[in-house]
Amino acid sequence: MNTRILAALVAIGLLQVALADDIAEKGRAVFQKYKDTVVTVRVAVSVSDGSGSDDNGGWANGAIVDPSGLTVVALSFLDPTGIYAKLDDQNSPQPNVKITSLRIIFEDGNEVPATVVLRDNDLDLAFIRPIEPPKSPLPSVDLSNSAEPKLLDNVVILSQLGEVARRAHSAAIERIETVVDKPRHYFMVGAHRSDTILSAPVFTLEGQFIGIGAMRAIAGATETDPSDSVLVVIVPAKDIKDGAAQAPAKAAAEPSDAPGKQDAPKKPEEAKK
């Protein structure tokens, strides 16, 4: 092989390794800066459909977006009836979901009771607060330091694992695969990250906040398989910031066992639709 060609191939290989190392290094910096803003939210609910009730529950990630402990999660995790209603073109009666317990769990295992203070069914977001304000400010995502990624940009997804993994934090680097502008603006990574990204914060490699993973369903969708009508998307930081600004400052705004009382007010342009 020609010596010059060989040298060029070696140089290209070294450049690729250097670029990969640079991406990893930036990802680690984002992880160290913001990992403590990611918590686990555990919910217990009572579901009734008129013929009886059943107790259920689960856990998901959440992102602290204010030092007071205001945390954002996907509303569909707490109450999926809004998603079900959009998929149901027969207007069937939806079950009633009553939140009976809601707790925020930190990496050290400390749990604090919380309550829902704001819901946005359209964006699939819920904002929750600790019932008792924290004694000191909590690490939080800087909502003023945000960015909108472009197609194929690298992004960092932060999450917290479960009890088996000692609630260790985790990071993944993915690329933006889809940018949707209408009727709602949002971003998407690969479908293989749907479970990871739900309720998880997403950042640029420079540490700018991009948004939170939530579910998006098509009202009256015609796909044979309902799962084809539901996507996990990244709700942009601007929408998160707007919701946080509307969230009541006191945790007593909506008891956790009385869902749906505090919906996000409609924007003027939405009210006309």
Side-chain angles (χ1 to χ4, degrees):
M1 180 180 292
N2 186 288
T3 304
R4 291 182 179 179
I5 295 177
L6 180 60
L9 292 175
V10 171
I12 292 173
L14 292 174
L15 179 60
Q16 290 175 334
V17 171
L19 289 174
D21 287 346
D22 182 58
I23 291 173
E25 189 63 32
K26 288 182 177 180
R28 283 189 288 267
V30 173
F31 175 81
Q32 291 300 327
K33 184 175 183 179
Y34 285 113
K35 68 181 181 66
D36 291 332
T37 69
V38 184
V39 292
T40 295
V41 177
R42 186 168 65 196
V43 66
V45 298
S46 176
V47 182
S48 59
D49 59 4
S51 61
S53 62
D54 186 26
D55 295 330
N56 209 332
W59 65 271
N61 286 156
I64 303 174
V65 293
D66 186 86
S68 65
L70 182 67
T71 299
V72 60
V73 299
L75 176 58
S76 54
F77 157 66
L78 301 178
D79 182 356
T81 54
I83 296 295
Y84 294 157
K86 288 182 179 180
L87 294 174
D88 179 20
D89 58 0
Q90 303 298 319
N91 295 319
S92 304
Q94 296 298 318
N96 178 55
V97 177
K98 180 179 179 181
I99 297 176
T100 57
S101 175
L102 187 62
R103 306 180 79 85
I104 298 174
I105 308 174
F106 298 91
E107 186 178 23
D108 60 4
N110 183 39
E111 300 186 14
V112 297
T115 189
V116 179
V117 295
L118 185 75
R119 295 163 175 254
D120 190 320
N121 286 288
D122 193 35
L123 293 176
D124 187 38
L125 297 178
F127 291 85
I128 67 176
R129 284 190 185 279
I131 293 177
E132 294 292 333
K135 295 180 180 179
S136 58
L138 297 175
S140 61
V141 175
D142 183 1
L143 297 180
S144 65
N145 182 25
S146 63
E148 291 203 354
K150 296 179 180 179
L151 189 68
L152 296 180
D153 276 357
N154 283 306
V155 298
V156 183
I157 305 167
L158 300 185
S159 60
Q160 186 179 42
L161 303 180
E163 189 174 4
V164 175
R166 304 297 182 183
R167 304 205 183 281
H169 286 96
S170 177
I173 293 177
E174 292 291 339
R175 289 187 182 273
I176 295 295
E177 295 188 4
T178 307
V179 177
V180 177
D181 293 320
K182 295 180 180 180
R184 280 286 188 183
H185 185 47
Y186 55 82
F187 316 101
M188 294 175 61
V189 295
H192 65 287
R193 287 294 184 188
S194 293
D195 290 341
T196 302
I197 205 171
L198 187 65
S199 288
V202 184
F203 300 87
T204 67
L205 288 176
E206 288 69 39
Q208 296 169 297
F209 181 51
I210 293 174
I212 293 286
M215 296 188 76
R216 183 75 178 164
I218 302 174
T222 58
E223 277 79 355
T224 303
D225 185 351
S227 64
D228 293 336
S229 306
V230 180
L231 300 172
V232 178
V233 306
I234 303 170
V235 178
K238 180 183 181 301
D239 291 328
I240 308 299
K241 186 176 181 179
D242 290 346
Q246 297 172 27
K250 295 183 179 180
E254 179 189 337
S256 61
D257 61 352
K261 290 187 177 180
Q262 186 71 34
D263 286 333
K266 293 293 184 181
K267 298 178 181 179
E269 62 270 22
E270 293 174 358
K272 297 178 182 178
K273 296 181 180 180

